[in-house]
mmCIF file of all heavy atoms in Angstrom:
data_model
loop_
_atom_site.group_PDB
_atom_site.id
_atom_site.type_symbol
_atom_site.label_atom_id
_atom_site.label_comp_id
_atom_site.label_asym_id
_atom_site.label_seq_id
_atom_site.Cartn_x
_atom_site.Cartn_y
_atom_site.Cartn_z
ATOM 1 N N LYS A 106 -76.528 46.913 117.199
ATOM 2 C CA LYS A 106 -77.786 46.992 116.455
ATOM 3 C C LYS A 106 -77.475 46.821 114.984
ATOM 4 O O LYS A 106 -76.330 47.014 114.566
ATOM 5 C CB LYS A 106 -78.511 48.307 116.732
ATOM 6 C CG LYS A 106 -77.688 49.543 116.420
ATOM 7 C CD LYS A 106 -78.464 50.812 116.665
ATOM 8 C CE LYS A 106 -79.386 51.123 115.489
ATOM 9 N NZ LYS A 106 -79.991 52.444 115.571
ATOM 10 N N TRP A 108 -76.837 48.079 111.705
ATOM 11 C CA TRP A 108 -75.640 47.269 111.737
ATOM 12 C C TRP A 108 -74.507 48.135 112.224
ATOM 13 O O TRP A 108 -73.703 48.609 111.439
ATOM 14 C CB TRP A 108 -75.339 46.716 110.338
ATOM 15 C CG TRP A 108 -76.314 45.647 109.941
ATOM 16 C CD1 TRP A 108 -76.233 44.322 110.260
ATOM 17 C CD2 TRP A 108 -77.512 45.768 109.183
ATOM 18 N NE1 TRP A 108 -77.313 43.616 109.758
ATOM 19 C CE2 TRP A 108 -78.120 44.482 109.084
ATOM 20 C CE3 TRP A 108 -78.188 46.844 108.590
ATOM 21 C CZ2 TRP A 108 -79.319 44.244 108.415
ATOM 22 C CZ3 TRP A 108 -79.379 46.607 107.925
ATOM 23 C CH2 TRP A 108 -79.925 45.301 107.849
ATOM 24 N N TRP A 110 -71.984 49.286 115.953
ATOM 25 C CA TRP A 110 -71.662 49.157 117.374
ATOM 26 C C TRP A 110 -71.729 50.534 118.006
ATOM 27 O O TRP A 110 -71.086 51.464 117.539
ATOM 28 C CB TRP A 110 -70.251 48.586 117.552
ATOM 29 C CG TRP A 110 -70.067 47.211 117.019
ATOM 30 C CD1 TRP A 110 -69.410 46.856 115.870
ATOM 31 C CD2 TRP A 110 -70.527 45.995 117.604
ATOM 32 N NE1 TRP A 110 -69.442 45.491 115.725
ATOM 33 C CE2 TRP A 110 -70.123 44.935 116.769
ATOM 34 C CE3 TRP A 110 -71.254 45.697 118.757
ATOM 35 C CZ2 TRP A 110 -70.416 43.600 117.040
ATOM 36 C CZ3 TRP A 110 -71.542 44.368 119.030
ATOM 37 C CH2 TRP A 110 -71.125 43.340 118.175
ATOM 38 N N ILE A 142 -79.172 38.817 117.438
ATOM 39 C CA ILE A 142 -77.910 38.419 118.053
ATOM 40 C C ILE A 142 -76.733 38.907 117.201
ATOM 41 O O ILE A 142 -76.697 38.687 115.993
ATOM 42 C CB ILE A 142 -77.826 36.887 118.214
ATOM 43 C CG1 ILE A 142 -78.945 36.387 119.125
ATOM 44 C CG2 ILE A 142 -76.463 36.482 118.796
ATOM 45 C CD1 ILE A 142 -78.986 34.866 119.261
ATOM 46 N N HIS A 143 -75.819 39.601 117.836
ATOM 47 C CA HIS A 143 -74.556 39.963 117.213
ATOM 48 C C HIS A 143 -73.444 39.297 118.019
ATOM 49 O O HIS A 143 -73.715 38.641 119.033
ATOM 50 C CB HIS A 143 -74.365 41.483 117.219
ATOM 51 C CG HIS A 143 -75.483 42.244 116.561
ATOM 52 N ND1 HIS A 143 -75.557 42.431 115.211
ATOM 53 C CD2 HIS A 143 -76.587 42.827 117.076
ATOM 54 C CE1 HIS A 143 -76.651 43.125 114.918
ATOM 55 N NE2 HIS A 143 -77.300 43.370 116.035
ATOM 56 N N SER A 144 -72.211 39.480 117.576
ATOM 57 C CA SER A 144 -71.105 38.928 118.346
ATOM 58 C C SER A 144 -69.911 39.866 118.260
ATOM 59 O O SER A 144 -69.483 40.237 117.171
ATOM 60 C CB SER A 144 -70.741 37.534 117.822
ATOM 61 O OG SER A 144 -69.701 36.972 118.597
ATOM 62 N N CYS A 178 -68.268 41.936 113.742
ATOM 63 C CA CYS A 178 -69.438 41.213 114.224
ATOM 64 C C CYS A 178 -69.265 39.793 113.711
ATOM 65 O O CYS A 178 -69.066 39.579 112.522
ATOM 66 C CB CYS A 178 -70.732 41.816 113.703
ATOM 67 S SG CYS A 178 -72.184 40.849 114.186
ATOM 68 N N ALA A 179 -69.308 38.826 114.626
ATOM 69 C CA ALA A 179 -69.012 37.445 114.244
ATOM 70 C C ALA A 179 -70.253 36.562 114.295
ATOM 71 O O ALA A 179 -70.156 35.363 114.485
ATOM 72 C CB ALA A 179 -67.919 36.883 115.142
ATOM 73 N N GLU A 180 -71.424 37.166 114.163
ATOM 74 C CA GLU A 180 -72.654 36.369 114.162
ATOM 75 C C GLU A 180 -73.518 36.927 113.047
ATOM 76 O O GLU A 180 -73.812 38.128 113.050
ATOM 77 C CB GLU A 180 -73.366 36.499 115.518
ATOM 78 C CG GLU A 180 -74.662 35.743 115.622
ATOM 79 C CD GLU A 180 -74.438 34.245 115.688
ATOM 80 O OE1 GLU A 180 -73.562 33.805 116.439
ATOM 81 O OE2 GLU A 180 -75.153 33.516 114.969
ATOM 82 N N TYR A 181 -73.937 36.071 112.113
ATOM 83 C CA TYR A 181 -74.703 36.574 110.981
ATOM 84 C C TYR A 181 -75.968 37.266 111.471
ATOM 85 O O TYR A 181 -76.790 36.663 112.161
ATOM 86 C CB TYR A 181 -75.059 35.431 110.020
ATOM 87 C CG TYR A 181 -75.843 35.957 108.850
ATOM 88 C CD1 TYR A 181 -75.242 36.783 107.913
ATOM 89 C CD2 TYR A 181 -77.196 35.677 108.708
ATOM 90 C CE1 TYR A 181 -75.963 37.313 106.870
ATOM 91 C CE2 TYR A 181 -77.929 36.195 107.661
ATOM 92 C CZ TYR A 181 -77.301 37.015 106.746
ATOM 93 O OH TYR A 181 -78.019 37.549 105.723
ATOM 94 N N CYS A 182 -76.117 38.542 111.114
ATOM 95 C CA CYS A 182 -77.207 39.328 111.703
ATOM 96 C C CYS A 182 -78.000 40.091 110.649
ATOM 97 O O CYS A 182 -78.657 41.071 110.959
ATOM 98 C CB CYS A 182 -76.625 40.291 112.733
ATOM 99 S SG CYS A 182 -75.327 41.367 112.091
ATOM 100 N N GLY A 183 -77.941 39.638 109.396
ATOM 101 C CA GLY A 183 -78.752 40.287 108.373
ATOM 102 C C GLY A 183 -77.911 40.815 107.221
ATOM 103 O O GLY A 183 -76.707 40.578 107.150
ATOM 104 N N HIS A 186 -74.439 42.419 107.679
ATOM 105 C CA HIS A 186 -73.587 41.809 108.711
ATOM 106 C C HIS A 186 -72.104 42.030 108.414
ATOM 107 O O HIS A 186 -71.329 42.394 109.293
ATOM 108 C CB HIS A 186 -73.899 40.313 108.810
ATOM 109 C CG HIS A 186 -72.803 39.490 109.394
ATOM 110 N ND1 HIS A 186 -72.469 39.557 110.718
ATOM 111 C CD2 HIS A 186 -71.956 38.588 108.826
ATOM 112 C CE1 HIS A 186 -71.455 38.727 110.941
ATOM 113 N NE2 HIS A 186 -71.126 38.133 109.811
ATOM 114 N N SER A 187 -71.735 41.822 107.143
ATOM 115 C CA SER A 187 -70.317 41.930 106.796
ATOM 116 C C SER A 187 -69.812 43.359 106.918
ATOM 117 O O SER A 187 -68.616 43.595 106.986
ATOM 118 C CB SER A 187 -70.072 41.419 105.374
ATOM 119 O OG SER A 187 -70.747 42.249 104.452
ATOM 120 N N MET A 189 -70.669 45.262 109.460
ATOM 121 C CA MET A 189 -70.742 45.654 110.876
ATOM 122 C C MET A 189 -69.360 45.526 111.501
ATOM 123 O O MET A 189 -69.117 44.685 112.353
ATOM 124 C CB MET A 189 -71.756 44.770 111.595
ATOM 125 C CG MET A 189 -72.143 45.273 112.974
ATOM 126 S SD MET A 189 -73.580 44.413 113.581
ATOM 127 C CE MET A 189 -73.507 44.840 115.317
HETATM 128 CU CU1 CUA B 1 -74.087 42.102 113.804
HETATM 129 CU CU2 CUA B 1 -73.378 40.335 112.359
#
Side-chain angles (χ1 to χ4, degrees):
K106 57 178 279 190
W108 288 275
W110 297 105
I142 299 176
H143 304 277
S144 182
C178 175
E180 179 71 45
Y181 180 68
C182 55
H186 157 71
S187 64
M189 193 167 164

